[in-house]
Amino acid sequence: MKKSSNARYILLLIILIVNALYSYLFLTRGEVIFLSFIVFIPIAIYSLQYEVDSRLICCMLAVSIGIYMLYGIEDFILYSMLIILPAFIISYIVKEEIAFSKALSFTSLLMFVCFLGAIISLKYICKIDVIEGYFNIIDALEIEFTNVYSGFFKANTNSIQEYSIAMGTFKNTFHFMKYYYPALLYLLCLGISFISILGIRVIAIKAKLYDHGLGNILGLKVSRSMIVFLLITICTKAFNLSSNSYFLIAINNILVILTVMLFLLGILFEVSVIKRVRSAGRRSLLILVSIFCLVFFQAYFVVAGFIDSVFQIRVKLNNA
């Protein structure tokens, strides 16, 4: 890692200013949340090569203050907490040469904290309730989709009972989006973290700033302690009788996060098994079965991910 010269600080300022202008000229605030990795990846790549010192921090502060003066406190909070902080978090984790699995876990958790910090700051400093705005959007979408598709359901169902089931499933989808918004936010952070770490490592390797490889992406896993935590969470939910408590809401959101993670691990497990099959016929059969399960029996991948996490099957196969 090189020590920064004056020319490098000028380069950093250019990167920051271009990113800031791009963010707020071509992206809405909502798009900045979903596409923040496009903006902070260049900053993270820069910080991979040069030291973080007082002058670099001053450059960051200068651009952030400029955003505050030009756009207001709301954009200052978004830029600081969803672009600047994640950029340095990811670049630090990449520089530490942490395994891809652990890097993804750390980054997604820290990104989630950054997002929560931005949401809380906007609520108590700017009086902007992001969660309430999100609920209002979901309610508006539910009304619009109900008006559009209610006629379709009436025309394509044979009885009132079928129509009620179809509309109930439709409404439950929007209820899920509201009830499980913390889990959806974390999964968003997980997706952004995966894309960011992968993108930064690929770019850094091509630019010869990083020579440790991408890491074993197919080797992503959760620790056995996470499985124990999952079982404890399931047992806690089973004995919790209150249906509206914040504690139960938190448990349900944790279960969704862990279930999705096991589902993804189950897919990786299936890919690893298919890769190891040498017979073309058996491989084709496994692919067809996997596609069938992916469409009609998604629980298979959750179970496969759970078994793989408990017995570390992929690790043993890779070491064999």
Side-chain angles (χ1 to χ4, degrees):
M1 186 168 58
K2 302 176 183 177
K3 189 175 181 179
S4 302
S5 62
N6 290 333
R8 301 304 178 185
Y9 293 115
I10 295 173
L11 174 62
L12 175 62
L13 282 172
I14 292 173
I15 291 173
L16 292 173
I17 292 171
V18 169
N19 282 346
L21 289 175
Y22 174 80
S23 302
Y24 298 106
L25 289 177
F26 299 102
L27 299 177
T28 65
R29 289 174 179 170
E31 289 171 337
V32 167
I33 293 175
F34 288 97
L35 303 175
S36 58
F37 60 91
I38 294 177
V39 185
F40 67 63
I41 281 180
I43 303 172
I45 292 293
Y46 176 93
S47 60
L48 275 178
Q49 189 175 10
Y50 299 103
E51 292 180 349
V52 177
D53 55 21
S54 58
R55 284 193 290 177
L56 186 143
I57 294 173
C58 287
C59 290
M60 298 287 185
L61 289 175
V63 174
S64 297
I65 292 171
I67 289 174
Y68 169 72
M69 295 176 67
L70 290 173
Y71 299 106
I73 186 66
E74 299 94 341
D75 291 326
F76 169 79
I77 290 172
L78 290 175
Y79 188 76
S80 300
M81 305 199 76
L82 300 187
I83 295 175
I84 296 296
L85 281 178
F88 281 103
I89 287 170
I90 292 180
S91 65
Y92 173 78
I93 288 176
V94 171
K95 280 188 289 189
E96 289 297 309
E97 304 172 19
I98 300 173
F100 197 97
S101 182
K102 291 183 179 179
L104 182 60
S105 299
F106 292 150
T107 305
S108 59
L109 181 59
L110 293 172
M111 285 280 292
F112 184 65
V113 172
C114 289
F115 271 74
L116 287 181
I119 290 171
I120 294 170
S121 299
L122 288 173
K123 181 175 182 178
Y124 292 102
I125 297 176
C126 308
K127 309 303 180 185
I128 298 175
D129 195 329
V130 177
I131 304 303
E132 183 180 357
Y134 170 76
F135 284 178
N136 291 337
I137 291 173
I138 297 301
D139 289 337
L141 287 174
E142 182 179 358
I143 293 172
E144 176 131 5
F145 275 75
T146 300
N147 292 335
V148 170
Y149 286 100
S150 59
F152 173 82
F153 288 142
K154 284 181 180 179
N156 290 275
T157 52
N158 299 320
S159 65
I160 296 177
Q161 184 178 6
E162 288 183 3
Y163 171 77
S164 300
I165 292 173
M167 290 301 297
T169 303
F170 194 69
K171 290 181 178 293
N172 287 337
T173 302
F174 290 98
H175 174 72
F176 178 92
M177 295 172 67
K178 291 171 67 174
Y179 186 86
Y180 291 103
Y181 76 88
L184 295 175
L185 178 60
Y186 179 81
L187 293 175
L188 171 65
C189 294
L190 185 66
I192 291 175
S193 300
F194 180 85
I195 294 172
S196 302
I197 295 172
L198 187 62
I200 289 170
R201 287 191 175 184
V202 169
I203 295 171
I205 290 170
K206 294 295 183 181
K208 298 182 179 179
L209 303 176
Y210 184 82
D211 56 0
H212 300 285
L214 292 175
N216 186 10
I217 298 175
L218 288 179
L220 289 173
K221 61 181 181 178
V222 297
S223 64
R224 288 174 177 171
S225 59
M226 187 69 72
I227 299 300
V228 173
F229 179 68
L230 170 63
L231 296 175
I232 292 173
T233 304
I234 293 173
C235 293
T236 304
K237 179 181 178 179
F239 290 102
N240 188 55
L241 300 179
S242 176
S243 60
N244 296 315
S245 67
Y246 290 112
F247 181 66
L248 182 61
I249 292 173
I251 289 175
N252 288 333
N253 277 269
I254 291 171
L255 286 175
V256 167
I257 293 171
L258 295 176
T259 301
V260 171
M261 292 175 68
L262 290 177
F263 174 79
L264 296 175
L265 292 176
I267 292 178
L268 292 179
F269 171 76
E270 197 72 7
V271 171
S272 298
V273 171
I274 291 172
K275 284 182 62 180
R276 295 183 68 86
V277 175
R278 295 182 180 180
S279 171
R282 292 180 180 178
R283 181 177 295 178
S284 299
L285 178 61
L286 279 175
I287 291 173
L288 290 175
V289 171
S290 299
I291 294 173
F292 175 82
C293 292
L294 188 62
V295 176
F296 299 104
F297 190 52
Q298 295 85 1
Y300 163 76
F301 292 99
V302 178
V303 174
F306 179 84
I307 293 173
D308 178 58
S309 300
V310 172
F311 297 103
Q312 303 290 304
I313 297 175
R314 278 181 299 143
V315 175
K316 294 176 181 178
L317 289 176
N318 291 333
N319 294 333

